[in-house]
Amino acid sequence: MVEWAPLKIPLKRRVQTFFVMFQVYMFLFGHIFGTCLLLLLLLNAYTRIFAALYIGWAFILNSRTPSRGGRSFQLARRCKMWKYYCDYFPIRLIKTAELDPTENYIFGYHPHGIIGLGALGNFCGEGTGFSEKFPGIYPHLLTLTVNFKFPFSREYCMAMGVCSVDKDSIEYILTKMGPGHSAAIVIGGAAESLEARPGNFKLTLKDRKGFVKLALRNGASLVPVFSFGENDLYDQVSNPSGSALRHWQTKVKELMGFAPPLFHGRGVFQYTFGLLPYRRPIHTVFGAPINVNKVKSPTAEEVDKLHCQYITALQDLFDKHKRNYGIDEDKCLIIC
């Protein structure tokens, strides 16, 4: 049976739903919308010249911008849209330690979830009060380089401070943009999205050491971040390791660079099925920074040592706070 939404819903909640729907649809279909719009502009004789100018400006003159700090606008980051977006779930930022605004940081965000909606709320806007809680810190959420190959949606992403996740981009943020500028990386990536389901705490982290090596090379402190509730936002079709579905999903990931989880949440006018996330709280806990001394050419032993230190800090962060968010004492992180 379909559970329909009641007719009488406060306007504030409708606005919250609208902005979450906007962000989810931009994430899932923004590339298609932008490409179709550009094609329409090219086909129209009156707008063809503007479309051609945009292509030259975006993909020739500014092709490297996503790897050079992006093009963020404070007006976009401080838009009230983000407050409505975060209040939908709601998303709350929990600070456990101070961050020095004269330093640069790499934030390791866990878990990925289906879409990483908690990462969007905390790092792309001021809906959770990031700048107020960490004054002088300027986060840049990182995403796949391919996401900047599509028209218009690339400009939207960069306006929020989003940059490419490649090595040159991270080093540029940490060394060229000045004190406080920091990279936020969803460490588990596409592989971890295939494990995203309520009650699951399996992280893809054991072999993810590139961010640790970059931290050593640039002397950037590591900050473990865990979002309690990120995996509860959607239901995912069962895809255990070894199943035909997981095999197909893994092959798509290897070929395309992203994984296609089969998931569902709620709809706009009913609560039974759709692409919107459930209204379930996300508590994003920022751990204490792990100070890192700069090493020009870190050895494998140095990388492994810091990687183990990071995993231990993340596990301690999870264990210390899990009881606050309804997680049983016997639950623990599974590092894969």
Side-chain angles (χ1 to χ4, degrees):
M1 298 293 292
V2 175
E3 182 185 358
W4 295 98
L7 294 176
K8 293 183 178 180
I9 293 180
L11 178 61
K12 183 177 180 179
R13 287 175 66 88
R14 293 189 184 276
V15 175
Q16 292 169 359
T17 301
F18 172 79
F19 282 120
V20 169
M21 179 179 67
F22 177 77
Q23 292 296 340
V24 169
Y25 277 57
M26 278 297 297
F27 180 90
L28 295 175
F29 308 115
H31 302 339
I32 298 173
F33 293 158
T35 303
C36 291
L37 176 58
L38 183 63
L39 289 174
L40 289 174
L41 294 174
L42 287 170
L43 291 173
N44 189 296
Y46 296 103
T47 58
R48 189 173 299 149
I49 182 62
F50 298 105
L53 289 173
Y54 170 77
I55 292 173
W57 173 79
F59 297 106
I60 299 176
L61 296 179
N62 292 285
S63 61
R64 301 191 68 190
T65 302
S67 296
R68 292 296 180 268
R71 191 186 299 111
S72 64
F73 295 102
Q74 285 302 308
L75 183 63
R77 289 183 52 82
R78 296 184 179 278
C79 176
K80 196 172 181 180
M81 164 188 72
W82 289 110
K83 180 63 176 173
Y84 286 115
Y85 171 91
C86 290
D87 285 346
Y88 170 92
F89 300 92
I91 303 173
R92 298 290 181 257
L93 190 161
I94 293 88
K95 170 183 173 181
T96 65
E98 298 291 338
L99 297 183
D100 186 349
T102 65
E103 301 291 333
N104 303 96
Y105 299 90
I106 293 179
F107 296 98
Y109 184 90
H110 311 270
H112 183 284
I114 293 293
I115 298 178
L117 296 176
L120 293 178
N122 283 288
F123 295 114
C124 290
E126 292 298 328
T128 59
F130 183 96
S131 294
E132 180 182 345
K133 293 172 181 175
F134 299 115
I137 305 298
Y138 308 100
H140 298 268
L141 183 62
L142 306 185
T143 187
L144 295 174
T145 304
V146 69
N147 290 326
F148 298 98
K149 303 297 184 183
F150 298 90
F152 303 119
S153 62
R154 71 192 296 274
E155 320 305 334
Y156 179 78
C157 289
M158 285 192 288
M160 311 302 171
V162 181
C163 297
S164 171
V165 76
D166 62 82
K167 182 184 73 172
D168 291 342
S169 173
I170 298 172
E171 293 196 325
Y172 188 92
I173 292 169
L174 298 177
T175 61
K176 304 294 185 182
M177 298 191 69
H181 284 273
S182 304
I185 308 174
V186 185
I187 305 296
E192 196 171 274
S193 69
L194 299 179
E195 300 290 349
R197 51 178 47 86
N200 191 14
F201 302 104
K202 186 180 291 187
L203 302 183
T204 303
L205 181 57
K206 184 179 292 185
D207 297 322
R208 301 293 173 102
K209 300 179 181 180
F211 74 102
V212 173
K213 187 174 182 179
L214 285 169
L216 283 166
R217 286 181 54 179
N218 296 281
S221 298
L222 290 171
V223 180
V225 181
F226 194 90
S227 267
F228 294 90
E230 181 73 63
N231 279 345
D232 299 335
L233 303 181
Y234 289 100
D235 292 314
Q236 183 172 180
V237 174
S238 179
N239 59 344
S241 297
S243 65
L245 176 57
R246 176 61 73 92
H247 178 74
W248 172 76
Q249 290 172 323
T250 303
K251 285 296 183 182
V252 172
K253 176 185 171 296
E254 292 172 354
L255 291 172
M256 307 295 292
F258 63 88
L262 300 182
F263 66 94
H264 76 86
R266 50 157 289 191
V268 178
F269 302 109
Q270 44 80 25
Y271 300 144
T272 306
F273 190 89
L275 295 178
L276 291 186
Y278 298 119
R279 280 184 181 264
R280 293 172 180 170
I282 302 173
H283 295 91
T284 305
V285 184
F286 283 68
I290 302 169
N291 295 322
V292 178
N293 295 320
K294 187 174 182 178
V295 180
K296 186 176 181 180
S297 300
T299 64
E301 290 76 15
E302 289 171 322
V303 171
D304 288 342
K305 181 180 178 180
L306 182 56
H307 187 254
C308 289
Q309 187 179 353
Y310 177 86
I311 290 177
T312 300
L314 180 63
Q315 290 174 324
D316 290 344
L317 183 72
F318 177 83
D319 291 337
K320 183 178 180 180
H321 293 273
K322 62 185 178 182
R323 291 184 298 276
N324 297 334
Y325 309 114
I327 298 173
D328 295 338
E329 184 67 31
D330 61 345
K331 294 289 185 179
C332 60
L333 293 182
I334 302 173
I335 308 299
C336 300

